[in-house]
Amino acid sequence: MDADERAAIMEEVRRTVRDVPDFPKRGILFRDITPVLANPSLFGKVMMALAAPFESAGITHVVSIESRGFILGAPVALELRAAFVPVRKPGKLPSATVREDYTLEYGTDALEMHADALYGAKGVLVVDDVLATGGTAAATCRLVERAGGTVFACAFMIELPALGGRAKLAGHRVESLISY
């Protein structure tokens, strides 16, 4: 995919993402990706654009974060001919897991993945829909390392730079299709 094709996709995504004011609470402008998902042609283009920077990078595993990350991560894994690994909230996976606790703005949370999902994986791509404050993505990168994998990069459909998430991913390559 050349730069002009990628730029055209990025512009189409920007026009298609729906802004929902005051969701999930007053003062938040939610960037809704469901109109992109509802357009099969655009959704396919987005998957190709997310995968394109990593086509020859040796990605062996795509790790995605529950739940909207799954929508993007699984097709990106297929594009890259890589394994797909879900990261979930505690208690949702049926086998032995590794866990990463992390701090949120108002409390704590945790993520888990199967303990045997990544052992020795050198080319892990972390995929999610939005990079906002970066806490969940950073916790996922730590979880990948704890599970024996090596994060090659992180990819997002949308980045909200004003929230500073990229700084929490310092040391990792970060790619995003569009920024607001």
Side-chain angles (χ1 to χ4, degrees):
M1 173 176 294
D2 67 29
D4 289 339
E5 289 174 303
R6 188 173 169 92
I9 292 167
M10 292 164 60
E11 184 52 38
E12 189 175 356
V13 168
R14 186 178 301 285
R15 285 191 317 266
T16 306
V17 167
R18 176 176 32 213
D19 292 345
V20 181
D22 298 322
F23 183 84
K25 62 183 182 177
R26 188 165 183 76
I28 304 255
L29 179 61
F30 185 80
R31 305 294 182 166
D32 181 12
I33 68 167
T34 59
V36 174
L37 304 176
N39 179 331
S41 175
L42 180 56
F43 184 37
K45 291 176 192 175
V46 167
M47 294 309 96
M48 291 186 316
L50 281 171
F54 310 105
E55 286 175 344
S56 61
I59 300 299
T60 59
H61 295 74
V62 172
V63 171
S64 287
I65 305 160
E66 184 174 341
S67 68
R68 287 186 306 262
F70 293 174
I71 297 167
L72 305 178
V76 167
L78 288 173
E79 284 283 328
L80 295 173
R81 293 174 184 81
F84 175 73
V85 179
V87 170
R88 305 218 47 202
K89 299 291 182 184
K92 302 284 186 177
L93 294 169
S95 190
T97 61
V98 290
R99 176 184 173 116
E100 180 67 30
D101 294 305
Y102 63 104
T103 304
L104 298 167
E105 190 174 350
Y106 299 105
T108 61
D109 209 343
L111 297 170
E112 293 181 342
M113 82 169 50
H114 279 135
D116 61 356
L118 294 175
Y119 186 75
K122 299 279 187 234
V124 176
L125 177 63
V126 174
V127 175
D128 204 4
D129 62 329
V130 176
L131 175 58
T133 63
T136 305
T140 299
C141 290
R142 291 190 305 273
L143 186 61
V144 166
E145 300 288 333
R146 291 187 62 235
T150 302
V151 175
F152 179 81
C154 300
F156 305 91
M157 185 170 156
I158 297 171
E159 182 175 354
L160 307 173
L163 298 179
R166 190 176 282 256
K168 288 188 180 165
L169 298 174
H172 297 292
R173 176 179 170 185
V174 176
E175 297 277 341
S176 55
L177 286 185
I178 59 173
S179 296
Y180 288 99

